[in-house]
Amino acid sequence: MNDKDISDAVAQVLNGYGSAAANIGAGTPPAQPKSGKPMSDLVAQILAETGSAPAAAEAAQPDHVPGSKRCCWSKAHPSDDPLDDIVNGLVARALGDKQPCTVCPHSAGSEAVAVSDEEATTLGDGVFATMDEAVAAAELAQRQYLFCTMAARKRFTDGIREVILSNGTLERISHMAANDTGMGNAAHKIIKNRLACEKTPGIEDLTTEALSGDEGLTLVEYSPFGVIGAICPTTNPTETIICNAIGMLAAGNAAVFSPHPRAKKVSLLVVKLINRKLATLGAPANLVVTVQDPSIDNTNAMMAHPKVRMLVATGGPGIVKTVMSTGKKAIGAGAGNPPVVVDETADIEKAARDIVNGCSFDNNLPCIAEKEVIAVNQIADYLISEMQKCGAYLIKDPAVIKQLEGVVINQKGGPQTSCVGKSAAHLLGLIGITVGEDVKVILTEADKDHVFVQEELMMPILPVVRAPSVDDAIDLAVELEHGNRHTAMMHSNNVRKLTKMAKLIQTTIFVKNGPSYAGLGVGGEGYATFTIAGPTGEGLTSPKSFARKRKCVMVEALNVR
Ligand code: NAD
């Protein structure tokens, strides 16, 4: 089929579509295609050649079809003639989305959306009974999404930001996450959720590269993967859904979320709120989906599903290793054990304050939070005394340290789940020490092999290890980071030593003279991500991490130099 046949067929179809089609069809007589094939065959052939075979569309039973502009979608009407569906698709393609949609009732987007606590875990609005159903719905949504404009993508991702930031939702989901998981600090989760809404990049991240020369013009563009399976941690359950949903949809994908079972209710609530908001904006239904009962079996089903083209795991080493061994394109955002080095040139009072604040943020749940301090001997005592002034509770007695170890470390030598994300006051209470909530961090001195130093505890327990010199401190920090390439901090006014540590430690995030959360974007410049991919090398993820680079080559034309 040649171009003339296609335009003839389109013109003829448009002729039957009244004024909406008049602009494109104007002046074009309803020509009979040269091939002389019946129109139904011709249309089916066009769609098959452009990847929209009618058989697939019928099998998928879309509940929404393209409207007269590609940005909006209306409820499918059962039609007597299956050709109508095909024609709908063709017309949507032909018309494009050159003007903002003024006719679609879904596109206003100003209605407030709400989901009650009771509704949160029921089926519908992106929540499915089985992983198969969830993936099938996401696949259909993504096929429809392919024909939405970039302006529509921006509207949808802005809608996600807006629905979380409005009507007290930020506070609601932050409290619910802390209560459901039994981890973290709701006030700090509000900051993290706001950060995910406000600082996750959108479509502006997808820059196009144009290469022009005597042989024509080549475009290199970021194109969606399709359906992405995203596994979320308990530690940042809602932040990860918000951040990944914005990034994945900005890049043109649909997202299937696999939340941690402990964060089920709040995760389903966020998915539903996003779906209801997107529906008011005229987005294809089910761009963001999940299952009613998140479980390891469901996560495994998602990972194995042939329609899931990419996997993104934000979690511990086990799940990162699993996604990397699936044979699919995978992003693994794994564990960290961020060290903080303080040398003799640092502003010690500020360093003490920053370290206590960073370590206690959300009760040390963030994977970027300070997990151990390496202090140059010369300033170690002073640093410890300054940290005590900022809310650190120092335990010196080896017997008490042992007692704490017995409570917070499990039999396998890792963190006791029931203690992860608990406050310093709570943890001290477990060993019979009563303190006020002004105590933010538990401080101990330790040697480098101590379990508190070696393990990622995700509790506000901060061991301090002494080093004879800044060079020794840097070497030890590299060793204790365990090659995660995740996050590290340094407090120093010696730019050469700051540079040396940055080069040697190779972490995705390196914060100089500030608390760890500055690296996320709280009090530090730059965009935010809650999926920091050390193991697979993307580092900071953003929409372009969820896209493929594709090349479109025009030979011997369109170059204007
Ligand atoms: P986790 O590894 O226990 O769980 C993460 C997710 O994977 C959950 O949804 C869980 O249900 C699923 N999962 C775990 N094991 C599975 C298996 N065998 N099969 C199928 N699904 C499985 O981690 P967590 O406790 O929820 O989160 C804390 C960990 O995540 C920490 O190690 C932290 O450093 C890391 N983390 C990393 C980042 C990052 O950006 N690099 C961000 C947040 C958390």
Side-chain angles (χ1 to χ4, degrees), residues 346-475:
D347 175 343
I348 302 297
E349 293 85 352
K350 179 179 183 317
R353 208 167 47 244
D354 287 347
I355 294 170
V356 170
N357 287 339
C359 172
S360 57
F361 188 54
D362 204 15
N363 292 342
N364 200 250
L365 284 181
C367 50
I368 50 112
E370 289 83 349
K371 299 287 191 283
E372 64 277 342
V373 179
I374 303 136
V376 172
N377 216 355
Q378 190 184 329
I379 50 83
D381 289 333
Y382 184 43
L383 179 71
I384 290 171
S385 71
E386 283 301 308
M387 287 201 277
Q388 286 178 277
K389 287 185 199 164
C390 307
Y393 183 93
L394 177 66
I395 304 181
K396 282 186 170 169
D397 184 344
V400 181
I401 295 173
K402 200 81 200 149
Q403 199 188 350
L404 181 65
E405 199 183 310
V407 170
V408 302
I409 301 296
N410 65 25
Q411 294 204 322
K412 291 187 194 155
Q416 191 65 259
T417 309
S418 60
C419 294
V420 170
K422 292 289 196 287
S423 69
H426 176 92
L427 296 173
L428 287 169
L430 296 178
I431 55 167
I433 299 174
T434 307
V435 296
E437 288 296 328
D438 55 321
V439 167
K440 297 180 183 171
V441 161
I442 303 167
L443 212 56
T444 64
E445 279 207 49
D447 111 358
K448 79 175 178 76
D449 297 319
H450 193 272
V451 63
F452 289 173
V453 179
Q454 293 286 336
E455 284 294 318
E456 183 200 34
L457 296 184
M458 295 178 286
M459 303 168 205
I461 295 177
L462 195 58
V464 179
V465 186
R466 291 175 188 250
S469 71
V470 61
D471 292 314
D472 292 308
I474 291 171
D475 288 346

Side-chain angles (χ1 to χ4, degrees), residues 48-232:
E49 284 179 14
T50 50
S52 299
E58 278 163 28
Q61 289 293 331
D63 63 351
H64 284 72
V65 296
S68 63
K69 307 281 191 298
R70 285 191 292 184
C71 65
C72 63
W73 301 77
S74 48
K75 271 276 180 208
H77 300 291
S79 66
D80 297 329
D81 183 359
L83 189 61
D84 281 358
D85 287 343
I86 300 170
V87 169
N88 267 339
L90 185 56
V91 169
R93 277 168 194 231
L95 284 172
D97 179 26
K98 302 285 185 284
Q99 320 107 52
C101 178
T102 53
V103 290
C104 178
H106 296 301
S107 65
S110 55
E111 302 120 75
V113 299
V115 175
S116 68
D117 282 4
E118 294 69 41
E119 284 177 291
T121 51
T122 58
L123 293 174
D125 298 304
V127 176
F128 289 84
T130 67
M131 191 50 84
D132 255 359
E133 288 170 331
V135 174
E139 201 221 2
L140 176 61
Q142 202 273 333
R143 283 168 62 86
Q144 296 171 333
Y145 195 34
L146 282 174
F147 299 101
C148 290
T149 60
M150 294 305 285
R153 277 196 210 176
K154 176 163 171 29
R155 230 176 20 255
F156 303 155
T157 48
D158 283 352
I160 297 175
R161 303 177 202 274
E162 196 186 308
V163 73
I164 303 297
L165 290 172
S166 58
N167 296 328
T169 301
L170 207 53
E171 293 74 13
R172 180 181 175 204
I173 61 171
S174 302
H175 282 277
M176 201 186 251
N179 289 338
D180 287 3
T181 61
M183 294 176 182
N185 173 311
H188 294 168
K189 287 188 187 294
I190 292 174
I191 297 170
K192 294 200 299 174
N193 281 307
R194 178 181 292 285
L195 183 73
C197 292
E198 292 179 344
K199 284 201 171 181
T200 299
I203 59 163
E204 72 283 357
D205 192 51
L206 306 164
T207 48
T208 293
E209 206 181 326
L211 306 158
S212 159
D214 296 341
E215 289 181 324
L217 175 71
T218 291
L219 296 179
V220 180
E221 299 209 287
Y222 287 102
S223 190
F225 267 88
V227 177
I228 300 182
I231 299 153
C232 304

